Amino acid sequence: MAGQKFTNAGTKIYVCATEQTALPLNQAAFQALTYVEIKGVGNRGDFGADTNIVNYDTFADEVTQKAKGITDAGNLDIEVARLFDDAGQVAMRAAALTKFNYAIKIEFSDAPSDAYDNTVVYCAGIITGPVLNGGGVEDFVTETYTVGFNQLPVTVEAALS
């Protein structure tokens, strides 16, 4: 349905527990990997590429000259309600202890009908954490992992199955 809006409800985040040594990965390479879902995800931070804008002033120009500089592929914070035996969280903890790149798959629940697949975003980078988040008496014990992307995300838009 054109213009239909979706929420984050139903979004799933997965990690590939195998280190990735040959970046960048293309869509086919990401899709060929085996992923495990990270359960207990309650918040997915903002993510996306951010390109520097380089400025230079010259004596001859009235306006500052601008150009695109280097692009930072970004970071992704993944907050989870801690589950000590969840396979996805166990994989994240193990990956965070290494210096290697790991693939992440984010599947939104945005298919406009059963005839479509959901939008999927693939990314890869180093994983850090977990940071144990603070809280009060009636808060869940949560932790946050950060994925520092070492390549630009690959997005596969919702399409007919």
Side-chain angles (χ1 to χ4, degrees), residues 124-145:
I126 58 171
I127 297 175
T128 67
V131 171
L132 296 172
N133 304 318
V137 172
E138 292 191 357
D139 293 328
F140 284 96
V141 174
T142 61
E143 51 193 23
T144 300
Y145 296 88

Side-chain angles (χ1 to χ4, degrees), residues 40-144:
V41 176
N43 194 335
R44 172 202 43 84
D46 300 337
F47 69 98
D50 184 22
T51 302
N52 291 331
I53 297 176
V54 181
N55 300 310
Y56 190 73
D57 297 324
T58 67
F59 294 139
D61 295 316
E62 292 182 29
V63 176
T64 299
Q65 301 302 298
K66 296 182 181 180
K68 287 185 176 183
I70 293 176
T71 298
D72 181 339
N75 298 318
L76 170 65
D77 292 329
I78 302 171
E79 181 185 277
V80 299
R82 189 174 197 286
L83 302 168
F84 78 93
D85 60 349
D86 172 65
Q89 290 188 29
V90 169
M92 292 294 283
R93 284 185 209 106
L97 295 174
T98 77
K99 61 182 178 182
F100 303 112
N101 292 294
Y102 293 85
I104 300 291
K105 173 182 168 183
I106 303 165
E107 182 178 357
F108 296 102
S109 182
D110 66 347
S113 75
D114 290 341
Y116 284 77
D117 292 325
N118 292 317
T119 298
V120 175
V121 178
Y122 296 100
C123 39
I126 58 171
I127 297 175
T128 67
V131 171
L132 296 172
N133 304 318
V137 172
E138 292 191 357
D139 293 328
F140 284 96
V141 174
T142 61
E143 51 193 23
T144 300

Side-chain angles (χ1 to χ4, degrees), residues 7-14 37 107-110 118:
T7 68
N8 282 313
T11 296
K12 294 180 181 180
I13 301 179
Y14 303 83
E37 184 178 356
E107 182 178 357
F108 296 102
S109 182
D110 66 347
N118 292 317

